[in-house]
Amino acid sequence: MDKKIEKVLNEEPNYKIIRTILTIISITLLFWSSGVMDFSKVSNQGSDVVKSILGGIIHPDMTLLSDFSSGSLWYLIFETICIAFVGTLIGALISLPLAFLSSANIVPRIIAEIFKLLILLIRTIPAIVYGLMFIRVTGPGPFAGVMTMTFTSIGMLTKLFQETVADIDTDILEAFESLGINTWGKIRFGILPQLFASFLSTIIYRFDMNIRDATTLGLVGAGGIGAPLIFAINAYRWNEVGVILLSLMLLVLVVELLSTRIRKKLAYGI
């Protein structure tokens, strides 16, 4: 019995050697990649800037929180949420049919491969590049942010939706086909009920990501809270920077808690 166990162990691949080789390769690549880092241009005043930012967070300008007018901090936070929400919603509506069209178990393989290539092309462009492109087309403002959120959402949501569609129970579709139900009926009554919870959970997760992306896009003029943040930094108004960063932290924290709770409810029913 011991010889059989020893024989089985000897036949298994030696993962220790593989791990050692991978570790050596990773360390070599790390040192090689660090060679492109140039620290000669690092400012000597960097530590002072960090201290100023931390000081602004510790002593924020709370007077900004009492202003509820158009263009105020609260208005821009609400605008950021709206940009992320609308962009996610439009992106989800467009991603839904694209997910089915890129699923080989729903449509012919050649059609699925064409749409997979289309989604791949959409996903290759970073959000900041989309933002700069749409700002040139539509001008700076929330509309450019919404369009950017839409396209970045399409790339991710379609891919995740398509992976979920690939795992559906096809026995139900065969049963519907034997009853003479058309393609739309199969999707409406056989596929969507299986996918609703997973789709909704994915959309909420994407909205959580878009909140952060919408803030970043504001730095290039695509609406939201990012623009006043970069203006305050450039003007060295660290107290304003502090209150804006605190509000962003609070916003992200609240959205994170709510989205996690909702996704857990959808996944586990608790």
Side-chain angles (χ1 to χ4, degrees):
M1 190 64 159
D2 294 336
K3 291 183 178 180
K4 290 183 179 180
I5 295 175
E6 185 178 355
K7 182 180 179 182
V8 172
L9 292 175
N10 291 332
E11 290 176 352
E12 290 185 354
N14 193 342
Y15 291 109
K16 185 176 182 180
I17 296 177
I18 297 175
R19 292 193 190 99
T20 302
I21 294 173
L22 291 176
T23 301
I24 294 174
I25 293 174
S26 299
I27 293 175
T28 303
L29 291 174
L30 178 63
F31 279 103
W32 177 72
S33 301
S34 62
V36 302
M37 299 176 65
D38 183 11
F39 295 98
S40 62
K41 297 182 180 180
V42 176
S43 173
N44 294 328
Q45 299 178 348
S47 59
D48 295 333
V49 173
V50 173
K51 291 179 183 178
S52 299
I53 295 175
L54 293 177
I57 295 176
I58 296 174
H59 305 287
D61 184 4
M62 303 304 291
T63 58
L64 294 177
L65 299 179
S66 60
D67 184 6
F68 295 91
S69 63
S70 177
S72 65
L73 179 62
W74 293 112
Y75 177 86
L76 293 173
I77 290 175
F78 178 71
E79 184 177 79
T80 301
I81 296 173
C82 291
I83 290 172
F85 178 78
V86 175
T88 305
L89 181 61
I90 298 175
L93 293 175
I94 297 174
S95 298
L96 191 60
L98 290 177
F100 289 108
L101 290 172
S102 59
S103 300
N105 58 334
I106 302 295
V107 299
R109 180 169 295 277
I110 182 63
I111 297 178
E113 294 300 327
I114 292 174
F115 278 94
K116 283 183 180 179
L117 178 61
L118 173 63
I119 300 307
L120 179 62
L121 294 176
I122 294 175
R123 291 178 59 231
T124 55
I125 302 177
I128 194 71
V129 177
Y130 273 125
L132 293 171
M133 290 168 54
F134 283 116
I135 286 173
R136 293 296 181 184
V137 175
T138 66
F143 185 67
V146 170
M147 294 300 295
T148 303
M149 293 293 95
T150 297
F151 273 80
T152 54
S153 298
I154 288 173
M156 173 185 167
L157 291 177
T158 303
K159 180 175 175 57
L160 296 179
F161 286 174
Q162 186 271 326
E163 292 176 354
T164 305
V165 171
D167 296 330
I168 63 173
D169 183 6
T170 56
D171 293 339
I172 297 177
L173 302 182
E174 295 174 358
F176 282 175
E177 186 174 357
S178 65
L179 295 174
I181 297 177
N182 58 24
T183 302
W184 168 243
K186 295 177 187 177
I187 295 174
R188 181 180 179 185
F189 300 106
I191 297 178
L192 291 181
Q194 297 184 60
L195 305 177
F196 177 76
S198 178
F199 278 12
L200 186 56
S201 177
T202 303
I203 293 171
I204 294 172
Y205 177 62
R206 182 64 223 188
F207 171 70
D208 187 6
M209 295 178 62
N210 281 347
I211 287 288
R212 297 170 176 82
D213 289 344
T215 301
T216 305
L217 289 173
L219 299 176
V220 295
I225 194 65
L229 175 60
I230 195 65
F231 292 152
I233 292 174
N234 291 334
Y236 301 102
R237 297 195 298 268
W238 303 117
N239 292 338
E240 291 185 19
V241 172
V243 73
I244 293 173
L245 289 178
L246 286 175
S247 63
L248 287 176
M249 292 176 190
L250 181 61
L251 172 63
V252 172
L253 178 62
V254 171
V255 173
E256 176 73 21
L257 292 175
L258 291 176
S259 63
T260 301
R261 178 61 180 170
I262 295 173
R263 285 188 286 115
K264 185 181 292 186
K265 181 72 173 179
L266 292 171
Y268 306 108
I270 57 175

